[in-house]
Amino acid sequence: MTGGVEEFRALHHGRAAADPLVLPGPWDAASARVFADAGFAALATPSAGIARALGYGDGEATPVGEMFAAVARIARAVDVPVTADVEAGYGLPPRELVERLLAAGAVGCNLEDTVHPGKTLRDAAEQADFLAEVRAEAGDRLFVNARVDTFVRGVADPRAAVERGRRYAAAGADGVYPIGAPPRHLRLLADEIGLPVNALAVPDGPDPAELGRLGASRITFGGGLLDRTLTAVRELAAELRGDAPAGR
């Protein structure tokens, strides 16, 4: 991996509204090379995609060593910056978390404010303190993308996401990821929080260009690209069994 954090940070700024930073989510070195060879400027590893590829469930079920080893294989395989979704940090102290990210070759990370197990929202002040400690340990060596989980935890009011986002911005986050935010709220979130907003692209939802026009600076896909690949694998399996015509 040759792309650095300053290059990655710059990719989030000064873009046209219909040209957000699109970050495909590789789950292994082979998929990473495909996306990099296609010309994408950076990649974002999805925790859910890597977990499934390794045979685990989402939500910090993957042993921490296996997750960081997978990120390291991906980062080594490509010449573009790689940021890593590391869920809520796997319970690691901020110093160890930062050291593991840097050792794996990551230039950034997603850190969510969901508590595992239980999938409840962490107290916003506690999360802000945690992010501030990560920022202090990392200095300017990592792009910290603070995931805001209010929408996926059933809090529909965008003001709750704004309040958390502002706290996380004050703690030193470089961007925010209000996962599951209705696209109509993206502009409000971007304007009120004042940081680049990461939007999740989903099937049958707005495409990346439209999400950009609606206010997102950065687009990711979670485990969705692996899901699409597995659909193709299932079709191949059916063909090999003789359940579908060859060539379909």
Side-chain angles (χ1 to χ4, degrees):
M1 191 276 294
T2 59
V5 63
E6 290 307 319
E7 173 189 343
F8 183 66
R9 189 172 279 116
L11 289 170
H12 292 75
H13 300 280
R15 308 183 71 90
D19 182 33
L21 175 61
V22 177
L23 298 173
W27 51 92
D28 60 12
S31 58
R33 288 194 184 105
V34 169
F35 293 131
D37 289 348
F40 288 97
L43 305 176
T45 68
S47 60
I50 289 178
R52 292 179 66 192
L54 293 175
Y56 299 101
D58 194 18
E60 298 196 351
T62 305
V64 64
E66 292 192 46
M67 178 59 72
F68 281 99
V71 172
R73 287 192 293 271
I74 288 167
R76 286 197 303 266
V78 297
D79 292 328
V80 297
V82 173
T83 184
D85 186 321
V86 289
E87 305 200 53
Y90 301 98
L92 297 173
R95 176 170 294 182
E96 183 179 354
L97 177 61
V98 168
E99 288 174 350
R100 283 178 175 262
L101 284 162
L102 294 174
V107 300
C109 63
N110 287 356
L111 286 168
E112 66 190 48
D113 55 5
T114 285
V115 176
H116 299 282
K119 295 188 176 181
T120 59
L121 278 170
R122 188 178 190 182
D123 178 80
E126 290 181 6
Q127 181 70 0
D129 288 345
F130 174 65
L131 292 171
E133 292 181 51
V134 171
R135 171 54 68 212
E137 295 292 344
D140 62 359
R141 296 176 294 171
L142 289 173
F143 185 104
V144 177
N145 197 37
R147 206 177 94 172
V148 180
D149 284 6
T150 52
F151 294 104
V152 295
R153 298 291 162 238
V155 183
D157 187 345
R159 289 174 295 184
V162 168
E163 179 182 353
R164 284 178 175 261
R166 286 176 171 171
R167 283 179 179 265
Y168 303 162
D174 297 285
V176 290
Y177 181 14
I179 186 170
R184 67 181 183 278
H185 292 326
L186 292 173
R187 176 59 60 195
L188 170 69
L189 295 167
D191 290 346
E192 293 294 324
I193 297 172
L195 292 178
V197 168
N198 187 150
L200 177 69
V202 297
D204 301 322
D207 65 18
E210 180 61 18
L211 289 170
R213 284 189 286 268
L214 289 169
S217 298
R218 158 175 163 162
I219 312 299
T220 53
F221 303 85
L225 302 182
L226 174 59
D227 290 340
R228 292 175 63 179
T229 301
L230 292 177
T231 296
V233 173
R234 291 186 189 98
E235 292 173 355
L236 175 59
E239 177 185 320
L240 294 176
R241 284 177 50 89
D243 298 335
R248 285 190 58 184

